[in-house]
Amino acid sequence: TASVRQMPEIRRLPSALVNRIAAGEVVERPAAALKELVENAIDAGARRIGVVLADGGLQRIEVVDDGCGMGPEGMALALERHATSKLPDSLIGPDGAIELVTTLGFRGEALPSIASVARLTIESREQGAAEGWRRVVDHGALLADDPAALPPGTRVRVEELFAKVPARRKFLRTARSEYAACLDV
């Protein structure tokens, strides 16, 4: 008699694994992370954007801007998947005209994806606010969420990209090659 093949049970993946899979799609190398961070700075209305790279972006990527900044609530939402400030209400919903988006990115995947495969520190102060805020996420785990002293704008620091994801890290090129890709961005 022929045996009938049984379909394996379908189940939801743990959120930590989902975030790591998404990170591989959004942030395949330091240049991709840098691109996302610079696009966020431009969309925040920054007139000046500073970039610092260490070891081709493998050890550290830092992007500092003088844009509109974020408060604590906005910062927390920015680290949730599919949360974005870049879609106006008129484009959300069943009749939304998604093709009319005018920002550089809007899916809300970049920051949570980066935070799931690196140590991510965001410090931000809204224009006109008395103080800023800092949030540190290390490979998906929240480490700090507290006030910070900084000028208006946002500073994002990504450290040890893919350090705890050796399967992804082994596909990266040399620090020199990764730096060249970042320079192209």
Side-chain angles (χ1 to χ4, degrees), residues 30-31 53-61 174-180 182:
L53 299 170
D55 200 23
L58 298 169
Q59 283 304 313
R60 182 168 53 117
I61 300 167
T174 65
R176 186 178 192 155
S177 294
E178 295 300 339
Y179 174 78
C182 287

Side-chain angles (χ1 to χ4, degrees), residues 15-169:
S15 62
L17 181 57
V18 169
N19 288 340
R20 289 173 93 177
I21 291 168
E25 294 172 2
V26 176
V27 185
E28 69 275 359
R29 63 191 305 189
L34 177 62
K35 176 184 176 290
E36 296 285 351
L37 298 176
V38 169
E39 286 179 353
N40 284 347
I42 292 168
D43 283 340
R47 294 179 315 272
R48 297 186 68 193
I49 301 170
V51 175
V52 176
L53 299 170
D55 200 23
L58 298 169
Q59 283 304 313
R60 182 168 53 117
I61 300 167
E62 187 171 311
V63 176
V64 181
D65 71 58
D66 65 352
C68 62
M70 293 180 280
E73 299 82 17
M75 195 179 298
L77 278 172
L79 287 164
E80 288 186 20
R81 293 189 67 218
H82 305 299
T84 185
S85 64
K86 299 179 180 186
L87 286 177
D89 289 339
S90 62
L91 298 184
I92 298 173
D95 298 327
I98 199 81
E99 63 276 359
L100 299 178
V101 171
T102 59
T103 57
L104 294 172
F106 63 89
R107 292 175 303 159
E109 291 270 341
L111 289 177
S113 293
I114 294 167
S116 71
V117 293
R119 180 183 177 106
L120 178 79
T121 302
I122 302 178
E123 297 171 304
S124 192
R125 181 172 144 204
E126 292 176 295
Q127 300 289 336
E131 68 180 1
W133 202 259
R134 176 178 76 111
R135 195 168 178 102
V136 180
V137 180
D138 189 3
H139 293 83
L142 180 62
L143 298 183
D145 191 25
D146 48 22
L150 69 154
T154 302
R155 175 177 31 223
V156 180
R157 190 169 46 252
V158 177
E159 298 170 292
E160 300 179 358
L161 186 64
F162 299 123
K164 295 182 181 177
V165 189
R168 175 66 61 185
R169 183 118 184 176

